[in-house]
Amino acid sequence: MQRRCPLLLFLLFAFFLSSRAQWRSIGNVDSYVVRGGNSVHLKASGATVEVYVLSDHLVRIRCIPPAASSQLPPDVSRAVVKTDWPATTAEVTDASDALTLTTRALSVTIRKHPLRIAVADSTGTPLTRDHPGKGFSWSTAQAEPGAGTPSGTEVRVWHLMPPDANYYGFGEKAGPLARNHKHMTMWNSDIPAYSSATDPLYQTIPFFLTVRNGKAHGLFFDNSYWSSFDMGKESRDQYSFGAEGGELNYYVIAGPSPRLVLQRFTELVGRMPLPPRWSLGYQQCRWSYAPESRVREIAQGFRSRAIPCDVLYLDIDYMEGYRVFTWSATNFPDPKRMISDLGAQGFRVAVILDPGIKTDSSYAAFRSGLEGKHFLTYPDGRLYFGDVWPGRCAFPDFTSSAARRWWGDQMEDLIRTGVRGYWNDMNEPSVFNVPTKTVDLQVMHDDDGLRTTHAKNHNVYGLEMTRASYEGALRHNPAERPFVLTRASYAGGQRYSAAWTGDNVASWEHLELALTMCLNLGISGQPFVGSDIGGFIGHPSGELFARWLQLGAFTPLMRAHTVINEKNKEPWEYGETFTGINRQTINLRYTMLPYLYGVMAEASATGLPAMRPLLFEYPDDSRFVHEGSSFLLGSDLLVAPVLWPEAREREVRFPQGAWYDYWTGKPIAGGRNETVPAPLDRIPLFVREGAILPSQQVVQHTGEAPIDPLTLTVFPLQSNGTAVRTYYEDDGLSFDYQKGVVLRRTHMQQRIGSTLIIDIGAAEGSYLPPSRSLVVRCVNAEKAPVSVYVNGVMIAQQVSPSGHTATPEWSYAPAERQVYVHCSDSRSAQRIEFRYE
Amino acid sequence: MNEDEKQRAQALIERLLTEAHEHAGKEKYKEALIAIRKARALDSANIYILAFERQVEQLNESTAAGTITDLQKTDILESLPGIIEQARVNQAPLTTPEAAGEERRPTPEQQEQLRAARQWLKNQYFQRAHEHVKNQEYDNALAELRRVFIIDSEDQFAREFELKILQMQELQRRKPLFVSDPSETEPDLPPSLADEPALPPPDKAQKGNRLLMIAMIIAVCVIAFAFYYFWKREQVAQPVVPEASEEIEESKADDEPFYPIPAGSQADSTKTDSTHTP
């Protein structure tokens, strides 16, 4: 044994050396050229490095390893949509040991010996710093078997990691909100019944937000190969990111607020187009509602129980033998008529679209795909086949513009039949009969003419499928905004689709996961998110479903779903008590639609998430660093869902400022934690002081009736001051909003001593909603005002708080401690004054 | 669930899925469904097992209703390999085979009940075998022992009994005229019902029969003993010289018990190697 010890030690040492020796770190700068005052081209150790200052707040760093440096690869991205940045001139300082490019907000320092890059903000605070010993590196060893990349193509960079920095985003990641000390892989994967430790999952968004000392910046690593982020797991003083192929191509985005970072990131990768309003209604899904009679029964189930619902889904059993774009003649003999009938009841129908095309010579989609050469092939031209639901399938090459168009054309019949929702599933892409669970990595993609492997295109497959679906729907039904829902995607996926968190489980753990996953997706640029309410796999208790539905009422996508051969999971399946609670929850969602629609309009215009972790709005409050159990919907609504069984109260961490309990209207002092009641039938909900929350009457579906009355609930300022809010509305369906056919109003409230003034701004934009009443409701009125004025004219007080009259009137409800003003909703500005003395 | 339980569950799921696929291929959909549902009980979160179940249900229902076309059947059958593969790949058993009702491990109390019930059943078979031996119906006696082996293939007592019966059978074949009263070689009785503490309570008629049978057996034993005694005396007086092989057989039959008595079947349970000697 003693003789063996040195040998063992030697072998261990050799193994250690070999494992370390696979990375080659970039050395000294050999040559460099400064171009146009805003970019630098450098050569070092055979590698090429380019630094671009795209704007005052945005820097791009592109490192190309020696293996690819001889001929620079084409500079293309599936994520980035903005490339025409206005010329920004940085101040370039060329010293012997370093080059510095300085803008108003950023400075990039490029050390020459060895080449190391640091980005700092205008105060000199470092945002990113290459690790002195490592920096940009590339592999010298053979890549892992199956990686699909040749030797020497792996790229990675190590940055110094300050101990007080916290990291968020990274797309779809299960587990805690802050991702410090985690190693995360980016490889779209179909993992049903995942856990908090499962990684990777369905979507890849290689972007993260760093928050440190109340300041934020972002980093987007635009590389679609198998990639990974190690946020201090390998070593607490450094984080790293890299990929098995391609370039080390990343963007550093300055803040200092998380809002600004998200706005700038989404300016780069694109923002969500405004979704149709009906897609914000309640959506009911299961695998599968079939046959037709069952779908009608479900529809009737909602209407007969007065539970609002806008969308019914058809899962894979609507097809003939799982052939996408076909209808099962047995289950759905007359789909057009069924959809038309459902439409008359106010339902829209969404169908699942899987990418796998069954290899069947009598199947039109297979034939036309084959003829058009739209399927993936091996390098020698052989078709790639993989097993999915229908058995042996070919897979469309969505990276080809021709294939995307072909796919969109296949959708035409569905659209003519009346389908309005396009649920893109299995698009990781998932393949059943191989251990890798996906397409062979050596399979070739057109990649819009570049001819690259699946290793490069795997993570963008879902994104490009949603693009094909969105563009196809738009082409064949240009008058309406498409609604596409996807399981897999990549950075920028919000341009084409909403996303849900995949095949979750009916458990309390998954309810918690759903929230943090949605929050991190929002931080990663995807605002239109939700989870399968009630859990896809398994059957929830009535309590779990009710609590999940309450959370779902405040996620932009509100969809319940369940797996095949599982018990029914509609809102009325848990007994009368829960049916009542669930109805109330969905009613709440529908009354909140004017607010939610405004939040989505803001997300569409700015890229801000709809669901915001508290740290997003309050980055300098250390209580929110790990707070993933409550969130803000928009800016004004603090949602604290109950995520634990049998809980009838919960602690809420209130941000600074004053808040109101939505249910009681009672004020709550901010800046502290408080335990609040959480009865089974109510989600704890709070509103920021100064908010003017728009709401509407309960409807059974969004198309049932126009908003009438529009209620503006005023949560009064508690001390002298002014608060401004914007109201947004449009037709909810067409693209006319892009032509200015919108209704935008700026509302303002002012407290001056005992007088509260509400200014309803004049209507902007040309959208004209049908004539309707306006109710201005002021909460927390301890007593009735002495007088109320509308546009300077004192109005009469009525006894009943709910009357609709032609002339303005006001009333006071002492039990609710609320003052109501009823008037018509004209386009002109109105001033309402509540005088308490 | 520990690693061992997990591995056993996975192996069982694997087996059940294969079995179900084979059944489905032979259009034995009900059998396939039974296997799939057993697998589902072990891994209820595996959506591919659920999908497999649904596909086979469809085959079963539509075949029974006569509504399935060849194309539809082919479609479904073609979909199965991929689904099964995913069901295998995504295995994450949530339940042990025991908890799922597969390979249930009984409690000590249940184990004791099970043992007693088995012993009671075996005793019945032994008694019947014994009756058949008495009547020289060796085939029937062997058939009873086969029933014992179904319950307990390792039963040493039954093995030896079987051997003896085979020997008797062989003797009967070779010396068809040599007829000895089976009671001469009457072994001790197999364990009585009263020996078993947790037996299902027999009804009164059964009890009466059994007592009668015991009394008869004792009587037969006494008579056999008497016959044997006199026969032995005669043999000593007029020895027969048998063929070599027969000598061995006969001497064996004389010196050794006809079959051994299983432990616990005697009133004195410590007397496990008791022999049938005059």
Side-chain angles (χ1 to χ4, degrees), chain A residues 326-397:
Chain A
T326 66
W327 289 90
S328 160
T330 320
N331 285 335
F332 297 96
D334 191 351
K336 189 166 189 173
R337 187 173 163 191
M338 179 191 75
I339 292 172
S340 168
D341 292 348
L342 291 172
Q345 289 180 279
F347 292 98
R348 283 181 169 82
V349 171
V351 298
I352 196 166
L353 298 177
D354 287 352
I357 304 286
K358 187 175 173 71
T359 51
D360 172 359
S361 56
S362 63
Y363 170 32
F366 179 69
R367 276 208 320 272
S368 62
L370 206 57
E371 284 161 14
K373 298 185 176 175
H374 299 310
F375 296 136
L376 295 175
T377 58
Y378 285 99
D380 61 5
R382 278 180 300 124
L383 272 184
Y384 168 78
F385 297 112
D387 272 20
V388 260
W389 296 118
R392 196 163 182 250
C393 285
F395 289 79
D397 180 3

